[in-house]
Amino acid sequence: MPEADAPGHQNPNPSEAAATLTSCSSLVSEQPLRSSTFRWFLAGWSITVAGSAMSPLALAFGVLELTGSTAWLSAVLIASMAPMIATMILAGGIADRYRRDTVLCLTSLGAAASQAGVALVLLTHQHPALLLPLSASNGVFQALTTPTMRGIVPQLTSGSGIQQANSLLASARNATRLLGPSAAGLLTVSVGGGWAIAADACSFLLAAGCFSRMSLPDPPPRGEDSPTMSGELRQGWRYFSARPWIWSVTLAFAVFNAVNMGVWNILGPVIASETIGADGWGLVLSARGAGALLATVATLKLLVRRPMAPALCLMTLASAPMVLLGVHASTAWLASAAFAAGVAAEFFTVAWSTVWHVHVPERLLSRVSAYDEFGSFASIPAGQISVPLLAGVFGTATVAVAGGAVTVLAMLLPLLLPSLRGIELPLPKGKKSQRP
């Protein structure tokens, strides 16, 4: 694929996609589970996300038990988020430069060590300031892991098997989202948050063992004229910025994530405490997780040749729970809307991941995805700060409803680009196109 197409007319080139999919010798058939390397990757991924699903609840209650202070909890969370965002772009360059299985092994071992340190601080009741550098380390390891994970799938499968692989990975993630918090709650109540964090540290060790059994090809040898790391990052930026079908969706999710994290994660519990209560809010969150799991199971078989228009249109359903929060809807209505939002979000996630794996060259995948992740996530702190301030001026209900309207516009505007609407995915041989 050329390094840059004519501005405004970037459309994925099928010949580039074919070159990308055949660029490494480890590609297998369209049945990812037939590959032992993919099975080890899936096992390591599943163990990692299972531990990570337990960590937020355990950390929150562990820090509150140690300090009794929400200010300390906020400081610990910021200490993790800020380094993650700051190092994400560099992490993309590292993931494209070195063997991704090696990077995953090292980051898993590093995360195991830092989480073990967090567990030790909580269990031995040390000063909470010790949690800050450990949380910062966790943020860095998470930043390294995300683009590395995103770049591996095209090295393990091809064709329509890419969507199946993404669906399997998403199914594992969503299953752990349903079970992980409950397991963390039981551990926290019975033996304390520190032991739940210790279990997370052990999960990273197990994941490192799985990733060590993978066998990915070495990257091409580097010559004296090979670009530096900064040069490689500039290559990734040129590719990202020259393709509106990528950065338009990144900008849309910068808006969506800022609004959603502010309205749903901050105003949601506040409004719920005055309307449906904590038990009702828990049911709503569970319904969202159930919808996400159903969607990822369905995408194992549901194949759409041009997925981006239906995926972004479905994402407008994610605004419904915010609007219903604002009008103080009942638990049943909120749970139904949250279920639909979960379905929409995971259908989009699988479709978008598959589009990336098919149409972005594997050699650039981690770098370009790092810019996408950075652009999508960097706005979250702004949303978390501004939404409560706006709610103080205009009221929580008004801000929640307005937030829902803003996210609808954000999801639909990228569809004005023909290059985005026209993106196609491969279907299995003999299967008819399922056009929306």
Side-chain angles (χ1 to χ4, degrees):
M1 182 183 290
E3 201 51 31
D5 300 319
H9 299 281
Q10 290 84 351
N11 209 12
N13 188 333
S15 63
E16 175 189 358
T20 300
L21 293 175
T22 58
S23 63
C24 86
S25 59
S26 64
L27 288 179
V28 296
S29 70
E30 294 186 3
Q31 301 295 324
L33 288 176
R34 293 183 179 178
S35 165
S36 61
T37 302
F38 179 80
R39 293 196 298 269
W40 281 116
F41 177 55
L42 178 61
W45 161 272
S46 301
I47 294 168
T48 298
V49 296
S52 298
M54 296 194 303
S55 181
L57 186 150
L59 180 63
F61 281 91
V63 172
L64 291 174
E65 180 184 354
L66 178 65
T67 66
S69 167
T70 55
W72 270 112
L73 176 59
S74 177
V76 169
L77 295 178
I78 291 173
S80 175
M81 176 66 72
M84 183 190 75
I85 293 174
T87 57
M88 190 169 285
I89 292 175
L90 177 61
I94 292 173
D96 275 341
R97 178 177 279 223
Y98 302 103
R99 277 183 50 163
R100 294 187 175 106
D101 50 348
T102 301
V103 174
L104 284 183
C105 284
L106 294 176
T107 57
S108 296
L109 291 173
S114 58
Q115 284 294 74
V118 171
L120 185 63
V121 170
L122 296 177
L123 290 171
T124 58
H125 302 283
Q126 301 298 314
H127 195 280
L130 295 174
L131 294 173
L132 300 181
L134 292 168
S135 295
S137 298
N138 272 328
V140 172
F141 291 130
Q142 185 175 350
L144 285 165
T145 299
T146 301
T148 306
M149 291 279 196
R150 199 166 182 178
I152 281 181
V153 169
Q155 294 184 281
L156 305 181
T157 187
S158 62
S160 62
I162 291 177
Q163 178 169 321
Q164 295 178 27
N166 284 319
S167 298
L168 288 167
L169 295 170
S171 296
R173 182 184 66 244
N174 288 314
T176 59
R177 283 178 178 174
L178 286 176
L179 302 176
S182 299
L186 290 174
L187 280 173
T188 301
V189 169
S190 58
V191 295
W195 287 109
I197 296 293
D200 186 26
C202 292
S203 75
F204 280 114
L205 285 176
L206 290 173
C210 292
F211 295 140
S212 69
R213 300 298 301 271
M214 297 171 60
S215 181
L216 297 181
D218 291 321
R222 302 183 58 78
E224 293 183 359
D225 58 345
S226 297
T228 62
M229 176 69 78
S230 62
E232 291 177 344
L233 292 176
R234 287 194 295 270
Q235 287 178 350
W237 170 252
R238 286 196 295 269
Y239 189 95
F240 174 86
S241 60
R243 285 156 178 79
W245 71 268
I246 297 179
W247 58 252
S248 63
V249 176
T250 303
L251 289 177
F253 274 85
V255 175
F256 177 86
N257 287 333
V259 174
N260 187 64
M261 292 295 287
V263 172
W264 190 252
N265 285 14
I266 296 178
L267 297 189
V270 173
I271 296 174
S273 66
E274 300 172 352
T275 54
I276 63 176
D279 54 343
W281 187 241
L283 179 61
V284 169
L285 295 181
S286 296
R288 189 182 184 97
L293 181 58
L294 175 65
T296 50
V297 172
T299 53
L300 286 169
K301 295 295 183 183
L302 177 63
L303 302 174
V304 179
R305 182 175 292 278
R306 294 184 176 179
M308 292 312 302
L312 284 167
C313 288
L314 273 175
M315 275 301 298
T316 62
L317 294 176
S319 67
M322 288 185 270
V323 173
L324 291 175
L325 271 175
V327 300
H328 295 177
S330 66
T331 301
W333 278 105
L334 266 174
S336 299
F339 179 88
V343 171
E346 287 308 314
F347 179 84
F348 175 87
T349 298
V350 172
W352 186 235
S353 296
T354 306
V355 164
W356 271 73
H357 291 150
V358 170
H359 290 292
V360 177
E362 185 269 324
R363 64 184 177 84
L364 292 170
L365 194 51
S366 293
R367 277 171 283 171
V368 179
S369 70
Y371 286 108
D372 176 51
E373 299 281 351
F374 178 84
S376 298
F377 293 151
S379 62
I380 289 176
Q384 292 173 321
I385 294 171
S386 61
V387 165
L389 294 177
L390 291 171
V393 176
F394 299 104
T396 55
T398 301
V399 172
V401 173
V406 168
T407 57
V408 169
L409 288 175
M411 293 297 99
L412 293 180
L413 282 176
L415 292 177
L416 295 175
L417 293 172
S419 60
L420 181 65
R421 297 195 307 269
I423 290 176
E424 293 190 352
L425 296 178
L427 297 178
K429 295 178 180 179
K431 188 175 182 67
K432 294 182 178 179
S433 174
Q434 301 178 20
R435 295 184 183 272

